[in-house]
Structures are given as C-alpha cells and as structure tokens.
Amino acid sequence: MTYPEISADIALRIALAARALPDTDPARLLDVLADAIGLPPTEARLAQLTVKQLKTAADGELGELDPALLKGALAYLKGEAVANSAPPPPVESEEAVPDAIRVACASNGGASLDGHFGSCRRFLIYQVWAGGHRLVATREVGQPAPGEDKNAHRVELIRDCQVLYVASIGGPAAAKVVKADIHPIQFPEGGPAVERVLALQQVLADHPPPWLAKHMGRTPAERTRIALETADT
C-alpha cells in the first residue's frame, strides 16, 4: 500500500503506538488505521478513534491483542502518552550489598512501570536490599537477532535478575521467565517503578517469603525460620 505524507508528529505517535503492541510495526498499524479512520491519519481523525475500532479494523488484524495494550497504543495515537517516551532516569554504580537482589521493571518511558513484557521499550534494573535500593542499569530491548525468539531475547536481557515487574505478560513468555529462575509479578495498574521497589525493600526488611529468601542467598534453615516466623505473625 502507498501511504500519503504524514506529519512528523503523527508519525511519532504511530511509531510509539506500534512499539507498544507485540509483533506490530508502523506499517501493520497503518493498515489498521487506514481501515478504521482512513488516510492520512490526521490529528482530528485520531481523536475520534476507539479501542473497538482498533480491534475490529482490517478484519480484526489486532483483535487478538489484550485490550489494555490497545488502550495504551490508543493513548499514543491520540497524543496523550507521547510524554511517556521520556528517557529513563540516570543510573548509579552498583556496589556489593549483602542479601541484595536485582529487579527488572518493564518500562516504556521515564521511570514508569508500564510495559508489557513482549513490547516494552526497556528494562529498568534495580538493586534492592533491606536498607535501600538503586537503579543500576537501563537496558534497551532493541531487535532480536534473525531467527531468535523474541521472548528468549528479552529473557537474556534480564537473566541476571531474580524478580521481574511488568504491567502484563503472556503465558508462554512467563514460562520462559520462570525457567530462567526469574519470578514475574504483574501490576496491571502500572505506576512509578520506584514505588514497587520501595515496597519490595520493605518486604526484604521484614519477612521475605521463602522463594525470595532463596534468591537472597539464605540457607534452607534460615528460610525455614523465616517461614515459621511469618506464620506466627
């Protein structure tokens, strides 16, 4: 299909929306938009676009995707979430801390925990321990190598982490994450990544569950003691 000229602002919106959807590039999304609202996709036309139209246009091309993902893509298309394309916060140098773990947060912009595992732009890597936390790395996802499984590529980016925070994750992807001995936790409501990290920091300071105590390097005897203490509280 030949596409009419699109303004730089609209092109950015489409690119960001496509990145927010698994296995979707701008060309695929443009085909859907062409059927839903016609071409060119102007600001006025995008303002009238609905999630239902995204699901049903082009014979349901995007109909199998999670409605929450489509809602996020729609926010980009309407220009409401372009600000979320902000760069991540600066990282700090990592230092050896007893019982520290690493947490990967799926993010699309700034310091937000707002990414689907299969489509997020980057992972924010936090070092977390009972007395503090620090952002030690940001890892852009990029494109997998030719023939490489997309989810396997993403797992490799966070293989040194013990916990994964995401807005959502599909079953097959979650199975790959768990196989890599990483514990995935979903937060559909999203929010600032640091809020979840602070909550985890408090858990580490109090009574970490046995699976988390194992990642902290606690011995089986210590994990049993923690489990008994938790049961008594």
Side-chain angles (χ1 to χ4, degrees):
M1 179 183 293
T2 301
Y3 302 109
E5 185 174 345
I6 300 173
S7 71
D9 174 62
I10 298 301
L12 173 61
R13 295 186 193 186
I14 293 171
L16 291 172
R19 291 196 66 167
L21 298 174
D23 302 318
T24 302
D25 58 22
R28 183 188 185 198
L29 183 54
L30 269 173
D31 287 341
V32 172
L33 293 176
D35 186 56
I37 59 175
L39 296 178
T42 63
E43 183 167 357
R45 288 174 172 176
L46 290 172
Q48 302 301 316
L49 186 63
T50 66
V51 170
K52 183 178 180 180
Q53 286 176 302
L54 284 177
K55 285 183 68 70
T56 58
D59 296 322
E61 173 72 15
L62 303 180
E64 298 300 317
L65 296 182
D66 187 330
L69 293 178
L70 293 175
K71 184 177 180 181
L74 184 61
Y76 281 115
L77 291 170
K78 291 178 178 288
E80 298 167 356
V82 173
N84 281 342
S85 61
V91 302
E92 303 176 61
S93 60
E94 186 168 7
E95 300 176 7
V97 178
D99 294 342
I101 64 171
R102 282 188 170 205
V103 181
C105 297
S107 178
N108 287 317
S112 296
L113 168 59
D114 60 356
H116 180 279
F117 180 77
S119 63
C120 66
R121 298 180 63 186
R122 63 178 64 94
F123 292 104
L124 308 177
I125 311 298
Y126 286 88
Q127 181 187 27
V128 189
W129 64 100
H133 67 274
R134 57 172 67 96
L135 179 66
V136 296
T138 60
R139 296 172 185 168
E140 300 295 325
V141 173
Q143 295 297 321
E148 181 183 14
D149 179 82
K150 179 186 69 175
N151 289 327
H153 168 72
R154 289 169 179 263
V155 168
E156 286 303 315
L157 286 176
I158 61 170
R159 186 170 287 277
D160 59 340
C161 297
Q162 291 77 48
V163 180
L164 167 67
Y165 285 168
V166 293
S168 60
I169 185 172
K176 286 184 170 65
V177 170
V178 171
K179 187 175 181 179
D181 203 21
I182 303 169
H183 191 85
I185 302 176
Q186 296 187 98
F187 293 103
E189 66 277 18
V194 72
E195 289 185 1
R196 300 301 180 186
V197 169
L198 283 169
L200 177 61
Q201 180 182 321
Q202 188 61 50
V203 170
L204 298 184
D206 294 335
H207 294 287
W211 68 267
L212 196 50
K214 177 182 178 181
H215 284 308
M216 295 166 67
R218 301 288 178 83
T219 66
E222 289 176 314
R223 300 201 299 271
T224 299
R225 176 182 57 76
I226 291 171
L228 292 173
E229 290 176 351
T230 302
D232 291 338
T233 58

